[in-house]
Amino acid sequence: MKLYTSPGACSTADHIVLQWIGQPYDFQIVTREQRATPEYRAINPSGAVPALQVGDWVLTQNSAILHYLADRSPEAGLCGNGSAESRAEVNRWLAFVNADVHPAFLPLFGATHYLEDQAAIEKSHTHARTRLRGMYVSVNAQLEGKEWITGSRSIVDPYLFITLQWAKKTGVDLSGLDNLARFDAHMAADPGVQAAMRAEGLL
């Protein structure tokens, strides 16, 4: 398996999961500029990360890759305890992070620069931070009494952790969310997390 990743992007979550499952893998860091080249577009036509290459087969889309890695190593227990209910809980929170939290960062990542009106751009940033604060309040409540978002370690936790790094860098208000702060610290101290982040030059 070979992961194409950009440091600190959502692909770092896949890198963490690769560390957790303990199967042999390689990885290649690709910059924003490299993602636009014909060579990389031949791997992932959208020019995005992550991409996971297994032999001649390439899988894209973060949630698909996370599920694939969990299914390759069921003994790691990263997609529930085998029951339909526990898998559904993983899917519920993965969908929340992937479809709600992640896209809410887009204005903060420059998606509204096309407006060419600084006041409007700042308004979009404020709105995004407010929305994200509300989402993290929900996550904080879910983490009450838990180390992991679904109660046991899963493919959701690295993705959530990466979004928290984005939140801290873009000025999202996380004050008073003590369960979330505890989760962030717990993940930051995890050996697999540290190994992936160190390999990507993030530590």
Side-chain angles (χ1 to χ4, degrees):
M1 291 185 290
K2 182 176 182 178
L3 176 70
Y4 293 87
T5 182
S6 295
C10 66
S11 54
T12 305
D14 305 271
H15 201 162
I16 292 168
V17 171
L18 282 164
Q19 283 288 323
W20 281 357
I21 65 176
Q23 290 195 21
Y25 73 93
D26 193 8
F27 73 96
Q28 181 175 327
I29 290 175
V30 288
T31 64
R32 183 181 297 273
E33 293 73 25
Q34 288 169 333
R35 296 203 306 259
T37 63
E39 291 79 11
Y40 185 72
R41 296 256 179 183
I43 296 166
N44 186 352
S46 70
V49 289
L52 184 72
Q53 190 165 16
V54 184
D56 295 329
W57 179 61
V58 177
L59 181 63
T60 61
Q61 298 298 328
N62 199 33
S63 59
I65 292 171
L66 291 169
H67 270 298
Y68 173 75
L69 294 175
D71 289 342
R72 274 187 67 116
S73 297
E75 69 282 357
L78 296 179
C79 208
N81 61 16
S83 71
E85 290 78 8
S86 67
R87 188 176 181 90
E89 282 297 319
V90 171
N91 285 335
R92 180 220 300 259
W93 288 102
L94 184 61
F96 176 74
V97 176
N98 187 63
D100 294 342
V101 176
H102 189 159
F105 277 97
L106 293 179
L108 301 174
F109 291 162
T112 54
H113 285 176
Y114 72 93
L115 295 172
E116 297 182 353
D117 180 323
Q118 195 56 40
I121 292 169
E122 287 301 324
K123 188 174 182 179
S124 76
H125 289 181
T126 299
H127 177 67
R129 291 187 182 101
T130 300
R131 285 190 66 216
L132 284 159
R133 166 74 186 188
M135 292 178 194
Y136 286 125
V137 166
S138 297
V139 174
N140 189 69
Q142 170 66 14
L143 283 166
E144 181 66 35
K146 300 182 183 72
E147 278 191 321
W148 314 99
I149 186 69
T150 65
S152 61
R153 190 176 73 164
S154 76
I155 53 176
V156 185
D157 298 296
Y159 200 173
L160 174 60
F161 173 72
I162 293 303
T163 73
L164 288 176
Q165 311 321 301
W166 301 343
K168 289 183 284 186
K169 289 179 180 177
T170 56
V172 177
D173 179 15
L174 301 177
S175 62
L177 304 182
D178 295 341
N179 296 328
L180 201 60
R182 178 174 45 80
F183 168 83
D184 187 40
H186 169 65
M187 285 291 291
D190 181 272
V193 173
Q194 291 185 351
M197 295 185 74
R198 188 175 296 110
E200 295 193 12
L202 295 168
L203 290 181

